Amino acid sequence: MPEPLRDVIARHGLQATKALGQNFILDRQLLARIAAIPGPLDGASVYEVGPGPGGLTRALLDTGANVVAVERDRRCLPALAELEDEYADKLRVISGDAL
């Protein structure tokens, strides 16, 4: 089980930036409910734009999805790299603008 997101955010000194439309949701139950909205994702490929520190990414991975996450905020990349190391076979992080 990954380190609590609150701890990851604190360790990396991250803060949500309104200019980028960021909101870091910390509630694991809420994130799990959001990830469940599209239905069963086990084995499905999910393209996530702007994962930030990876809250929803974690919830999507917990469903069994394979996730490609595109993040343009370089401050979040070290936290995502740690998650990518933990889920190397299920998560690919791309640094860049999804557009």
Side-chain angles (χ1 to χ4, degrees), residues 5 27 47 57 62 78 80:
L5 187 59
D27 184 324
Y47 184 77
T57 310
D62 287 345
L80 290 170

Side-chain angles (χ1 to χ4, degrees), residues 15-91:
Q15 289 184 308
T17 302
K18 288 186 182 188
L20 295 175
Q22 294 173 326
N23 281 303
F24 299 160
I25 300 172
L26 303 177
D27 184 324
R28 287 182 59 91
Q29 289 179 333
L30 175 59
L31 290 164
R33 288 197 324 253
I34 293 169
I37 289 171
L41 293 174
D42 190 27
S45 295
V46 176
Y47 184 77
E48 183 183 12
V49 176
L56 182 58
T57 310
R58 293 162 179 244
L60 292 166
L61 291 165
D62 287 345
T63 69
N66 298 302
V67 180
V68 174
V70 181
E71 179 58 63
R72 74 177 191 176
D73 185 351
R74 299 181 80 52
R75 299 173 307 140
C76 295
L77 294 176
L80 290 170
E82 291 172 2
L83 195 59
E84 189 175 32
D85 287 344
E86 191 168 339
Y87 292 94
D89 59 333
K90 302 292 265 178
L91 174 61

